[in-house]
Amino acid sequence: MNMHPRGTFITFEGLDGCGKSTQMGKLADALRAEAYDVITTREPGGTPIGDRIREVLLHSANEMDAMTELALMFASRAQQLAEVINPGLREGRIVLCDRFTDSSEAYQGAGRQLGSGTVLAMHKIICGGQQPDLTILMDSDPAHSVERARRRNLQSRSATADENRFEQESRAFFERVHRQYLAIARRDRDRVIVVNARRPIATVHREIVAMVRERLAGRIKARAKATKTPVAGGA
Ligand code: TYD
């Protein structure tokens, strides 16, 4: 079921340090250069309330129960859907979001071992089951990605922001997260595209742009069909 027929909702997923945020920024630039109306956001965060929740979630000094963590991820998401994602989609925009419910299924469901069932039940209640039109899963090696994320956080650590809580997790934790991401991609083949993120930035970018263009063209045709408007160039 298409719950947001006007805009297009695209999410980026992957391990910490996989290069997701760089690729999302580059995709946004490429789409804007083609005159698409694009908004970018991230989770946890993306709204004033979400940013405060993000601080609580990511600060390394906070010892947190896994269920509290999951509930806060969804609290941030509920606010983000209401304030940013759904208004953007209603206005016909392309909404790019750095992480969404797949992150909760991978990190809390598998990493924290709360189980996919619990996460997906919350997703149904809190997000009405709303899924992206397209998810780009940046596939990378756990050890390498997490090392990169740790280095990045050490370099950028300012007096105000400590966002290291997840990067301190064990190798086994990130292996579970990685396996779950691949399981989600196998399960939701129509939605999730796996991109090999172990390659140069420009190569990965070209592949992502090509795939997104293909999807957008498909959606424009599908909509035109639904409204019986003839599409230039035929079927
Ligand atoms: P962030 O600095 O945005 O990570 P990155 O740049 O590596 O994507 O931190 C977000 C962290 O929160 C990241 O470690 C993954 C985690 N997370 C979850 O565990 N569950 C979730 O549902 C979301 C959205 C993020």
Side-chain angles (χ1 to χ4, degrees):
M1 182 171 61
N2 189 355
M3 282 176 282
H4 31 85
R6 298 194 59 200
T8 303
F9 183 23
I10 301 175
T11 57
F12 277 74
E13 292 285 352
L15 294 166
D16 305 70
C18 69
K20 214 167 20 62
S21 314
T22 304
Q23 290 297 339
M24 195 178 96
K26 286 176 77 68
L27 176 64
D29 291 345
L31 291 172
R32 285 182 183 128
E34 292 180 28
Y36 282 107
D37 190 352
V38 180
I39 52 178
T40 60
T41 186
R42 68 171 176 182
E43 291 200 343
T47 64
I49 289 172
D51 285 339
R52 295 173 75 179
I53 296 173
R54 179 183 173 91
E55 249 180 76
V56 175
L57 276 164
L58 301 189
H59 200 288
S60 60
N62 291 342
E63 276 181 39
M64 195 179 295
D65 176 74
M67 227 9 132
T68 309
E69 183 178 284
L70 180 64
L72 287 176
M73 292 294 177
F74 273 105
S76 170
R77 188 163 298 134
Q79 192 64 28
Q80 166 101 289
L81 277 168
E83 210 175 300
V84 179
I85 297 174
N86 282 333
L89 294 173
R90 278 196 294 272
E91 286 160 14
R93 295 171 150 175
I94 296 179
V95 180
L96 301 183
C97 190
D98 190 340
R99 299 190 180 282
F100 193 63
T101 295
D102 294 330
S103 281
S104 302
E105 193 179 346
Y107 282 76
Q108 282 68 51
R112 302 275 187 236
Q113 299 179 295
L114 293 177
S116 287
T118 302
V119 176
L120 296 178
M122 283 183 80
H123 180 68
K124 197 164 176 201
I125 294 168
I126 293 170
C127 309
Q130 181 173 346
Q131 287 288 16
D133 297 297
L134 175 67
T135 296
I136 295 160
L137 171 57
M138 301 269 294
D139 187 33
S140 61
D141 298 313
H144 179 248
S145 305
V146 175
E147 196 41 51
R148 210 178 135 229
R150 283 189 187 130
R151 272 202 311 273
R152 179 188 61 192
N153 275 348
L154 281 178
Q155 278 160 9
S156 69
R157 188 183 285 181
S158 66
T160 48
D162 171 336
E163 298 200 333
N164 300 315
R165 201 166 65 82
F166 282 92
E167 277 96 9
Q168 292 169 351
E169 285 303 326
S170 65
R171 174 82 182 265
F173 176 92
F174 288 106
E175 299 279 355
R176 288 197 295 276
V177 173
H178 185 227
R179 274 199 301 277
Q180 187 59 40
Y181 267 137
L182 295 178
I184 293 169
R186 282 194 299 274
R187 181 189 68 204
D188 293 355
R189 279 176 196 284
D190 288 348
R191 171 174 68 85
V192 183
I193 291 175
V194 183
V195 174
N196 178 1
R198 303 166 190 86
R199 297 171 298 163
I201 290 176
T203 313
V204 174
H205 174 62
R206 272 197 302 276
E207 188 172 311
I208 290 174
V209 168
M211 288 184 318
V212 169
R213 270 211 197 103
E214 198 179 300
R215 277 298 165 120
L216 289 175
R219 282 177 65 75
I220 290 164
K221 273 189 188 172
R223 268 181 233 157
K225 235 180 178 175
T227 54
K228 295 197 169 63
T229 310
V231 182

